[in-house]
Amino acid sequence: MRKNIVAGNWKMNKTFEEAEELVSKLANGFDKKYLKCEVVICPPSPYLEMVSDYAEESVFDVGAQNVSEYENGAYTGEISAEMLSSIELEYCIVGHSERRKYFNESNSQISAKIDRLLDFGIHPIFCCGEVLNEREKGIQFDVIKSQIAKSLFLLNKDEFSNIVMAYEPVWAIGTGKTAKPEQAQEMHAFIRSLIAEHYDNETANNTTILYGGSCNAKNAHELFANNDVDGGLIGGASLKAQDFIAIAKSF
Ligand code: 13P
């Protein structure tokens, strides 16, 4: 079901102590009374349980940043969907551009990861986005269409209803070059039209589509005010309690 979500992707940042300091500030700072969105925190894996303990006393949910494409077994260093489910996680990011770029994750691996997560009732937060060169060439819509077709449109309608989408233009991630609100709206509307075309209007209208890429406390309101922007996937600004709380209050 479509809802507003603000998700924090902490990426590979913070020691355990720093992470605990941040999450305790967040746990105290969020108040159900003013929140018009669901909040999800995606810390590094070693901190998932600690953050989940704080979540029990607060209003946010917890997500992982990655999952193995394999089931359990001899895959040294990997973390399975079953493990994430056994600590009751609700969400997991998949297809992030940093994983595509630095770990050569392919559309088919991303698709396998989504299948593993759905087997255990975890909502994938599926990221797609074009690089600068692709936008300059004007092929951003083709890129997004291909990423979605190859990893998501293999799902049936029921399976797809568990997906949260995140449009993260790669040129906007960590660069301070936020997409203009109209650029975000244009791409989100396009993504929704692809979903309507492949499934139906109801499915498209029920899909949550987040924006990610230099979203911060200053620009969040303008971005979230767009019809097809249902919230944000926040990197850098999710590492500061005050900023992340301000973003969650931007609806
Ligand atoms: P920044 O907010 O730091 O640009 O990162 C966005 C992102 O990659 C979230 O997944």
PDB file of all heavy atoms in Angstrom, residues 35-61:
ATOM      1  N   LEU A  35       4.433  12.960  13.100  1.00  0.00           N
ATOM      2  CA  LEU A  35       4.964  12.235  11.942  1.00  0.00           C
ATOM      3  C   LEU A  35       3.864  11.888  10.952  1.00  0.00           C
ATOM      4  O   LEU A  35       2.900  11.219  11.306  1.00  0.00           O
ATOM      5  CB  LEU A  35       5.642  10.941  12.391  1.00  0.00           C
ATOM      6  CG  LEU A  35       7.112  10.991  12.775  1.00  0.00           C
ATOM      7  CD1 LEU A  35       7.612   9.568  13.000  1.00  0.00           C
ATOM      8  CD2 LEU A  35       7.961  11.684  11.731  1.00  0.00           C
ATOM      9  N   LYS A  36       4.031  12.344   9.703  1.00  0.00           N
ATOM     10  CA  LYS A  36       3.050  11.997   8.675  1.00  0.00           C
ATOM     11  C   LYS A  36       3.666  10.979   7.716  1.00  0.00           C
ATOM     12  O   LYS A  36       3.249  10.860   6.578  1.00  0.00           O
ATOM     13  CB  LYS A  36       2.636  13.246   7.909  1.00  0.00           C
ATOM     14  CG  LYS A  36       1.915  14.263   8.758  1.00  0.00           C
ATOM     15  CD  LYS A  36       1.104  15.198   7.875  1.00  0.00           C
ATOM     16  CE  LYS A  36       0.448  16.289   8.680  1.00  0.00           C
ATOM     17  NZ  LYS A  36       1.308  17.474   8.846  1.00  0.00           N
ATOM     18  N   CYS A  37       4.715  10.308   8.186  1.00  0.00           N
ATOM     19  CA  CYS A  37       5.353   9.311   7.339  1.00  0.00           C
ATOM     20  C   CYS A  37       5.874   8.180   8.217  1.00  0.00           C
ATOM     21  O   CYS A  37       5.977   8.322   9.429  1.00  0.00           O
ATOM     22  CB  CYS A  37       6.517   9.930   6.565  1.00  0.00           C
ATOM     23  SG  CYS A  37       7.881  10.423   7.633  1.00  0.00           S
ATOM     24  N   GLU A  38       6.189   7.075   7.535  1.00  0.00           N
ATOM     25  CA  GLU A  38       6.851   5.979   8.239  1.00  0.00           C
ATOM     26  C   GLU A  38       8.357   6.253   8.153  1.00  0.00           C
ATOM     27  O   GLU A  38       8.833   6.759   7.138  1.00  0.00           O
ATOM     28  CB  GLU A  38       6.495   4.682   7.514  1.00  0.00           C
ATOM     29  CG  GLU A  38       6.884   3.445   8.257  1.00  0.00           C
ATOM     30  CD  GLU A  38       6.338   2.192   7.562  1.00  0.00           C
ATOM     31  OE1 GLU A  38       5.179   2.179   7.100  1.00  0.00           O
ATOM     32  OE2 GLU A  38       7.123   1.233   7.469  1.00  0.00           O
ATOM     33  N   VAL A  39       9.076   5.945   9.215  1.00  0.00           N
ATOM     34  CA  VAL A  39      10.528   6.157   9.213  1.00  0.00           C
ATOM     35  C   VAL A  39      11.220   4.797   9.253  1.00  0.00           C
ATOM     36  O   VAL A  39      10.815   3.905  10.000  1.00  0.00           O
ATOM     37  CB  VAL A  39      10.963   7.001  10.435  1.00  0.00           C
ATOM     38  CG1 VAL A  39      12.484   7.128  10.493  1.00  0.00           C
ATOM     39  CG2 VAL A  39      10.330   8.382  10.382  1.00  0.00           C
ATOM     40  N   VAL A  40      12.231   4.647   8.410  1.00  0.00           N
ATOM     41  CA  VAL A  40      12.999   3.401   8.376  1.00  0.00           C
ATOM     42  C   VAL A  40      14.474   3.749   8.532  1.00  0.00           C
ATOM     43  O   VAL A  40      14.958   4.685   7.889  1.00  0.00           O
ATOM     44  CB  VAL A  40      12.789   2.649   7.033  1.00  0.00           C
ATOM     45  CG1 VAL A  40      13.570   1.334   7.025  1.00  0.00           C
ATOM     46  CG2 VAL A  40      11.313   2.392   6.760  1.00  0.00           C
ATOM     47  N   ILE A  41      15.170   3.012   9.382  1.00  0.00           N
ATOM     48  CA  ILE A  41      16.606   3.250   9.549  1.00  0.00           C
ATOM     49  C   ILE A  41      17.355   1.998   9.077  1.00  0.00           C
ATOM     50  O   ILE A  41      17.043   0.878   9.497  1.00  0.00           O
ATOM     51  CB  ILE A  41      16.948   3.557  11.022  1.00  0.00           C
ATOM     52  CG1 ILE A  41      16.244   4.858  11.429  1.00  0.00           C
ATOM     53  CG2 ILE A  41      18.459   3.681  11.217  1.00  0.00           C
ATOM     54  CD1 ILE A  41      16.422   5.233  12.880  1.00  0.00           C
ATOM     55  N   CYS A  42      18.318   2.213   8.178  1.00  0.00           N
ATOM     56  CA  CYS A  42      19.101   1.104   7.625  1.00  0.00           C
ATOM     57  C   CYS A  42      20.565   1.270   8.044  1.00  0.00           C
ATOM     58  O   CYS A  42      21.365   1.895   7.329  1.00  0.00           O
ATOM     59  CB  CYS A  42      18.999   1.079   6.105  1.00  0.00           C
ATOM     60  SG  CYS A  42      17.297   0.969   5.499  1.00  0.00           S
ATOM     61  N   PRO A  43      20.942   0.716   9.198  1.00  0.00           N
ATOM     62  CA  PRO A  43      22.315   0.847   9.680  1.00  0.00           C
ATOM     63  C   PRO A  43      23.200  -0.251   9.073  1.00  0.00           C
ATOM     64  O   PRO A  43      22.682  -1.179   8.455  1.00  0.00           O
ATOM     65  CB  PRO A  43      22.163   0.631  11.190  1.00  0.00           C
ATOM     66  CG  PRO A  43      21.018  -0.328  11.295  1.00  0.00           C
ATOM     67  CD  PRO A  43      20.103  -0.058  10.118  1.00  0.00           C
ATOM     68  N   PRO A  44      24.506  -0.170   9.289  1.00  0.00           N
ATOM     69  CA  PRO A  44      25.364  -1.289   8.886  1.00  0.00           C
ATOM     70  C   PRO A  44      24.939  -2.565   9.629  1.00  0.00           C
ATOM     71  O   PRO A  44      24.443  -2.500  10.760  1.00  0.00           O
ATOM     72  CB  PRO A  44      26.760  -0.837   9.339  1.00  0.00           C
ATOM     73  CG  PRO A  44      26.669   0.658   9.405  1.00  0.00           C
ATOM     74  CD  PRO A  44      25.268   0.956   9.842  1.00  0.00           C
ATOM     75  N   SER A  45      25.169  -3.730   9.008  1.00  0.00           N
ATOM     76  CA  SER A  45      24.666  -5.004   9.564  1.00  0.00           C
ATOM     77  C   SER A  45      25.034  -5.272  11.019  1.00  0.00           C
ATOM     78  O   SER A  45      24.187  -5.764  11.770  1.00  0.00           O
ATOM     79  CB  SER A  45      25.157  -6.181   8.724  1.00  0.00           C
ATOM     80  OG  SER A  45      24.842  -5.955   7.405  1.00  0.00           O
ATOM     81  N   PRO A  46      26.286  -4.967  11.467  1.00  0.00           N
ATOM     82  CA  PRO A  46      26.614  -5.321  12.852  1.00  0.00           C
ATOM     83  C   PRO A  46      25.754  -4.569  13.878  1.00  0.00           C
ATOM     84  O   PRO A  46      25.733  -4.942  15.042  1.00  0.00           O
ATOM     85  CB  PRO A  46      28.087  -4.913  13.002  1.00  0.00           C
ATOM     86  CG  PRO A  46      28.602  -4.797  11.631  1.00  0.00           C
ATOM     87  CD  PRO A  46      27.442  -4.406  10.764  1.00  0.00           C
ATOM     88  N   TYR A  47      25.071  -3.517  13.434  1.00  0.00           N
ATOM     89  CA  TYR A  47      24.301  -2.711  14.384  1.00  0.00           C
ATOM     90  C   TYR A  47      22.794  -2.959  14.278  1.00  0.00           C
ATOM     91  O   TYR A  47      22.000  -2.290  14.949  1.00  0.00           O
ATOM     92  CB  TYR A  47      24.567  -1.209  14.163  1.00  0.00           C
ATOM     93  CG  TYR A  47      26.028  -0.825  14.043  1.00  0.00           C
ATOM     94  CD1 TYR A  47      26.414   0.266  13.275  1.00  0.00           C
ATOM     95  CD2 TYR A  47      27.028  -1.559  14.701  1.00  0.00           C
ATOM     96  CE1 TYR A  47      27.754   0.627  13.156  1.00  0.00           C
ATOM     97  CE2 TYR A  47      28.368  -1.200  14.575  1.00  0.00           C
ATOM     98  CZ  TYR A  47      28.728  -0.113  13.805  1.00  0.00           C
ATOM     99  OH  TYR A  47      30.044   0.241  13.682  1.00  0.00           O
ATOM    100  N   LEU A  48      22.405  -3.908  13.413  1.00  0.00           N
ATOM    101  CA  LEU A  48      20.965  -4.095  13.172  1.00  0.00           C
ATOM    102  C   LEU A  48      20.201  -4.428  14.448  1.00  0.00           C
ATOM    103  O   LEU A  48      19.121  -3.890  14.696  1.00  0.00           O
ATOM    104  CB  LEU A  48      20.739  -5.205  12.128  1.00  0.00           C
ATOM    105  CG  LEU A  48      20.979  -4.781  10.676  1.00  0.00           C
ATOM    106  CD1 LEU A  48      21.032  -5.997   9.754  1.00  0.00           C
ATOM    107  CD2 LEU A  48      19.896  -3.812  10.211  1.00  0.00           C
ATOM    108  N   GLU A  49      20.770  -5.320  15.239  1.00  0.00           N
ATOM    109  CA  GLU A  49      20.032  -5.731  16.451  1.00  0.00           C
ATOM    110  C   GLU A  49      19.945  -4.596  17.458  1.00  0.00           C
ATOM    111  O   GLU A  49      18.896  -4.377  18.066  1.00  0.00           O
ATOM    112  CB  GLU A  49      20.715  -6.936  17.086  1.00  0.00           C
ATOM    113  CG  GLU A  49      19.973  -8.200  16.718  1.00  0.00           C
ATOM    114  CD  GLU A  49      20.008  -9.209  17.836  1.00  0.00           C
ATOM    115  OE1 GLU A  49      21.062  -9.862  17.970  1.00  0.00           O
ATOM    116  OE2 GLU A  49      19.000  -9.330  18.566  1.00  0.00           O
ATOM    117  N   MET A  50      21.061  -3.883  17.632  1.00  0.00           N
ATOM    118  CA  MET A  50      21.068  -2.767  18.574  1.00  0.00           C
ATOM    119  C   MET A  50      20.023  -1.709  18.147  1.00  0.00           C
ATOM    120  O   MET A  50      19.233  -1.234  18.951  1.00  0.00           O
ATOM    121  CB  MET A  50      22.482  -2.172  18.631  1.00  0.00           C
ATOM    122  CG  MET A  50      22.650  -0.980  19.534  1.00  0.00           C
ATOM    123  SD  MET A  50      22.332   0.571  18.695  1.00  0.00           S
ATOM    124  CE  MET A  50      23.781   0.701  17.643  1.00  0.00           C
ATOM    125  N   VAL A  51      20.014  -1.395  16.841  1.00  0.00           N
ATOM    126  CA  VAL A  51      19.060  -0.401  16.347  1.00  0.00           C
ATOM    127  C   VAL A  51      17.623  -0.933  16.492  1.00  0.00           C
ATOM    128  O   VAL A  51      16.700  -0.192  16.852  1.00  0.00           O
ATOM    129  CB  VAL A  51      19.393  -0.008  14.887  1.00  0.00           C
ATOM    130  CG1 VAL A  51      18.300   0.856  14.273  1.00  0.00           C
ATOM    131  CG2 VAL A  51      20.728   0.740  14.835  1.00  0.00           C
ATOM    132  N   SER A  52      17.444  -2.237  16.273  1.00  0.00           N
ATOM    133  CA  SER A  52      16.110  -2.838  16.439  1.00  0.00           C
ATOM    134  C   SER A  52      15.634  -2.732  17.879  1.00  0.00           C
ATOM    135  O   SER A  52      14.438  -2.545  18.132  1.00  0.00           O
ATOM    136  CB  SER A  52      16.120  -4.317  16.029  1.00  0.00           C
ATOM    137  OG  SER A  52      16.414  -4.427  14.668  1.00  0.00           O
ATOM    138  N   ASP A  53      16.545  -2.859  18.833  1.00  0.00           N
ATOM    139  CA  ASP A  53      16.158  -2.715  20.245  1.00  0.00           C
ATOM    140  C   ASP A  53      15.604  -1.316  20.509  1.00  0.00           C
ATOM    141  O   ASP A  53      14.609  -1.147  21.198  1.00  0.00           O
ATOM    142  CB  ASP A  53      17.362  -2.964  21.174  1.00  0.00           C
ATOM    143  CG  ASP A  53      17.711  -4.446  21.240  1.00  0.00           C
ATOM    144  OD1 ASP A  53      16.859  -5.273  20.825  1.00  0.00           O
ATOM    145  OD2 ASP A  53      18.832  -4.772  21.679  1.00  0.00           O
ATOM    146  N   TYR A  54      16.260  -0.305  19.938  1.00  0.00           N
ATOM    147  CA  TYR A  54      15.758   1.072  20.096  1.00  0.00           C
ATOM    148  C   TYR A  54      14.417   1.243  19.374  1.00  0.00           C
ATOM    149  O   TYR A  54      13.540   1.968  19.849  1.00  0.00           O
ATOM    150  CB  TYR A  54      16.779   2.091  19.563  1.00  0.00           C
ATOM    151  CG  TYR A  54      17.871   2.387  20.554  1.00  0.00           C
ATOM    152  CD1 TYR A  54      19.025   1.623  20.602  1.00  0.00           C
ATOM    153  CD2 TYR A  54      17.736   3.429  21.468  1.00  0.00           C
ATOM    154  CE1 TYR A  54      20.033   1.876  21.526  1.00  0.00           C
ATOM    155  CE2 TYR A  54      18.739   3.701  22.399  1.00  0.00           C
ATOM    156  CZ  TYR A  54      19.879   2.922  22.414  1.00  0.00           C
ATOM    157  OH  TYR A  54      20.865   3.190  23.328  1.00  0.00           O
ATOM    158  N   ALA A  55      14.286   0.561  18.220  1.00  0.00           N
ATOM    159  CA  ALA A  55      13.048   0.693  17.439  1.00  0.00           C
ATOM    160  C   ALA A  55      11.842   0.202  18.227  1.00  0.00           C
ATOM    161  O   ALA A  55      10.738   0.741  18.087  1.00  0.00           O
ATOM    162  CB  ALA A  55      13.174  -0.086  16.131  1.00  0.00           C
ATOM    163  N   GLU A  56      12.062  -0.809  19.051  1.00  0.00           N
ATOM    164  CA  GLU A  56      10.946  -1.354  19.846  1.00  0.00           C
ATOM    165  C   GLU A  56      10.329  -0.304  20.747  1.00  0.00           C
ATOM    166  O   GLU A  56       9.138  -0.337  21.026  1.00  0.00           O
ATOM    167  CB  GLU A  56      11.437  -2.520  20.708  1.00  0.00           C
ATOM    168  CG  GLU A  56      11.382  -3.827  19.952  1.00  0.00           C
ATOM    169  CD  GLU A  56      11.846  -5.000  20.780  1.00  0.00           C
ATOM    170  OE1 GLU A  56      11.646  -4.990  22.017  1.00  0.00           O
ATOM    171  OE2 GLU A  56      12.432  -5.910  20.181  1.00  0.00           O
ATOM    172  N   GLU A  57      11.155   0.635  21.192  1.00  0.00           N
ATOM    173  CA  GLU A  57      10.664   1.685  22.107  1.00  0.00           C
ATOM    174  C   GLU A  57      10.310   2.961  21.343  1.00  0.00           C
ATOM    175  O   GLU A  57       9.995   3.967  21.951  1.00  0.00           O
ATOM    176  CB  GLU A  57      11.750   2.048  23.130  1.00  0.00           C
ATOM    177  CG  GLU A  57      12.335   0.876  23.895  1.00  0.00           C
ATOM    178  CD  GLU A  57      11.283   0.143  24.714  1.00  0.00           C
ATOM    179  OE1 GLU A  57      10.428   0.820  25.295  1.00  0.00           O
ATOM    180  OE2 GLU A  57      11.320  -1.104  24.731  1.00  0.00           O
ATOM    181  N   SER A  58      10.422   2.937  20.015  1.00  0.00           N
ATOM    182  CA  SER A  58      10.173   4.157  19.250  1.00  0.00           C
ATOM    183  C   SER A  58       9.210   3.877  18.100  1.00  0.00           C
ATOM    184  O   SER A  58       8.520   2.858  18.107  1.00  0.00           O
ATOM    185  CB  SER A  58      11.507   4.728  18.758  1.00  0.00           C
ATOM    186  OG  SER A  58      11.306   5.979  18.147  1.00  0.00           O
ATOM    187  N   VAL A  59       9.184   4.783  17.112  1.00  0.00           N
ATOM    188  CA  VAL A  59       8.170   4.657  16.053  1.00  0.00           C
ATOM    189  C   VAL A  59       8.771   4.239  14.711  1.00  0.00           C
ATOM    190  O   VAL A  59       8.059   4.174  13.723  1.00  0.00           O
ATOM    191  CB  VAL A  59       7.416   5.996  15.849  1.00  0.00           C
ATOM    192  CG1 VAL A  59       6.596   6.331  17.067  1.00  0.00           C
ATOM    193  CG2 VAL A  59       8.379   7.121  15.530  1.00  0.00           C
ATOM    194  N   PHE A  60      10.070   3.982  14.677  1.00  0.00           N
ATOM    195  CA  PHE A  60      10.662   3.677  13.369  1.00  0.00           C
ATOM    196  C   PHE A  60      10.824   2.169  13.137  1.00  0.00           C
ATOM    197  O   PHE A  60      10.804   1.383  14.083  1.00  0.00           O
ATOM    198  CB  PHE A  60      12.000   4.406  13.185  1.00  0.00           C
ATOM    199  CG  PHE A  60      13.046   4.062  14.219  1.00  0.00           C
ATOM    200  CD1 PHE A  60      13.849   2.955  14.083  1.00  0.00           C
ATOM    201  CD2 PHE A  60      13.227   4.885  15.330  1.00  0.00           C
ATOM    202  CE1 PHE A  60      14.826   2.651  15.013  1.00  0.00           C
ATOM    203  CE2 PHE A  60      14.190   4.594  16.281  1.00  0.00           C
ATOM    204  CZ  PHE A  60      14.989   3.473  16.128  1.00  0.00           C
ATOM    205  N   ASP A  61      10.973   1.813  11.860  1.00  0.00           N
ATOM    206  CA  ASP A  61      11.272   0.434  11.484  1.00  0.00           C
ATOM    207  C   ASP A  61      12.745   0.338  11.098  1.00  0.00           C
ATOM    208  O   ASP A  61      13.403   1.359  10.899  1.00  0.00           O
ATOM    209  CB  ASP A  61      10.414   0.017  10.286  1.00  0.00           C
ATOM    210  CG  ASP A  61       8.974  -0.220  10.692  1.00  0.00           C
ATOM    211  OD1 ASP A  61       8.753  -0.789  11.771  1.00  0.00           O
ATOM    212  OD2 ASP A  61       8.083   0.190   9.931  1.00  0.00           O
TER     213      ASP A  61
END
